Amino acid sequence: MVTENICFGCAPIAWTNDDLPELGQENTFEQCISEMALAGYEGTEIGNKYPKEPLQLLEYLAPRNLKVASAWLSLFLTVEPFEKTAESFIKHRDFLYEMGAKVIVVCEQGKSIQKDVNKSIFTEKPYFSEEEWSLLIQGLNRLGELAKEKDMTIVYHPHMGTGVQTDSEIQKLMEGTDENTISLLYDTGHLALSGEEPVKMFNKYRHRIKHIHFKDIRQSIEQIARLEKDSFLESIKKGIFTVPGDGYINFVPIMNAIEKSGYQGWVVVEAEQDPAKANPFCYAKKAKEYLNEIEKDIEKKYIP
């Protein structure tokens, strides 16, 4: 296959939302990973319902032929002493290392309004001062050295409602951090919702991208959420995010750009939805079938 260097994974957030525990609280961990495997995925990211001991988790994943792609860690480098974040990071790093993951997903949550139901992600986005930028960049570089001890790489997740969201902010972060230890997580949904063009952003940062999240956006819900100045969590409840192939983002040029770049690593389907409204298995399967069709078209284009 032309895309043989890409592994497709799925995030558990469609089954149980860690930020909104009431969404999917009835769905079990075993159901989640079994349906991921049944939908055709090769790996998973980690949710709060997953076993915390590596050997125990592997006992569940191995029979389903699933691997661990990575897992999210919230950083507080701009608001807490570095040592406190480093302690959490080392524990997280060691767990992922035992699970065979190569990248560590991080996002700075200092000043974040991601979980604040009283603030709109469309009108009240936070910004870092120069002092805060310095704390973030210096802290990330130090964490990068800790990741290097395990031959791992940090992938920073630009995220709606945080201080690193837009192209200019991503560029500032990439320019200030060590490219040998700090890379970028490319998330189609967050970039598009932030007003950035996904293909342009991939091509601009392709040499730093080491992990990918695919999510789509329902245009009608986005229009309502912007008009009503919704919070991030309220937007999710309304259904602003969906899986690739079910929203307005065109993933064909994105997949072509990824293939041309020689990207090697995970593409993780991640769509925060209410499982009572959007059956997780059906949507995961729909996304995988959509991506499979794009893969076939790429093969036809590149293989005589």
Side-chain angles (χ1 to χ4, degrees), residues 16-62:
T16 303
N17 194 307
D18 291 346
D19 292 334
L20 292 162
E22 66 271 25
L23 299 186
Q25 59 182 342
E26 72 281 2
N27 295 328
T28 66
F29 156 68
E30 292 91 334
Q31 174 190 345
C32 173
I33 59 172
S34 294
E35 292 184 348
M36 284 180 185
L38 188 60
Y41 293 94
E42 303 166 74
T44 176
E45 291 194 345
I46 305 294
N48 280 343
K49 287 185 178 180
Y50 284 45
K52 303 299 188 289
E53 293 298 323
L55 288 178
Q56 185 183 5
L57 180 53
L58 284 170
E59 286 179 355
Y60 282 100
L61 297 181

Side-chain angles (χ1 to χ4, degrees), residues 137-260:
I137 288 172
Q138 290 178 24
L140 277 174
N141 283 329
R142 292 174 70 181
L143 294 179
E145 290 301 313
L146 293 175
K148 191 177 180 180
E149 292 177 358
K150 296 288 188 179
D151 196 27
M152 300 177 76
T153 302
I154 288 174
V155 287
Y156 192 94
H157 190 338
H159 199 286
M160 289 292 292
T162 72
V164 183
Q165 174 183 312
T166 65
D167 182 14
S168 61
E169 291 163 344
I170 295 169
Q171 182 170 331
K172 186 178 182 72
L173 188 76
M174 292 295 98
E175 289 177 348
T177 51
D178 184 350
E179 63 179 13
N180 295 310
T181 56
I182 309 297
S183 297
L184 187 65
L185 186 153
Y186 170 79
D187 187 305
T188 55
H190 283 278
L191 290 172
L193 203 57
S194 189
E196 308 296 350
E197 205 289 307
V199 175
K200 179 181 177 181
M201 291 293 286
F202 182 85
N203 288 328
K204 179 175 181 177
Y205 296 105
R206 64 185 182 273
H207 299 302
R208 296 290 291 272
I209 294 169
K210 294 290 179 66
H211 200 59
I212 294 173
H213 282 175
F214 271 4
K215 64 165 66 75
D216 213 336
I217 300 172
R218 293 185 175 94
Q219 192 166 33
S220 60
I221 303 298
E222 180 186 347
Q223 291 170 346
I224 294 170
R226 287 185 182 278
L227 183 65
E228 298 183 354
K229 298 181 180 180
D230 284 335
S231 67
F232 182 67
L233 298 183
E234 185 59 34
S235 298
I236 290 173
K237 288 181 180 179
K238 287 183 176 178
I240 196 168
F241 289 128
T242 185
V243 297
D246 191 52
Y248 68 73
I249 298 175
N250 183 359
F251 284 84
V252 174
I254 294 173
M255 281 294 293
N256 272 303
I258 291 170
E259 192 285 323
K260 287 180 180 178

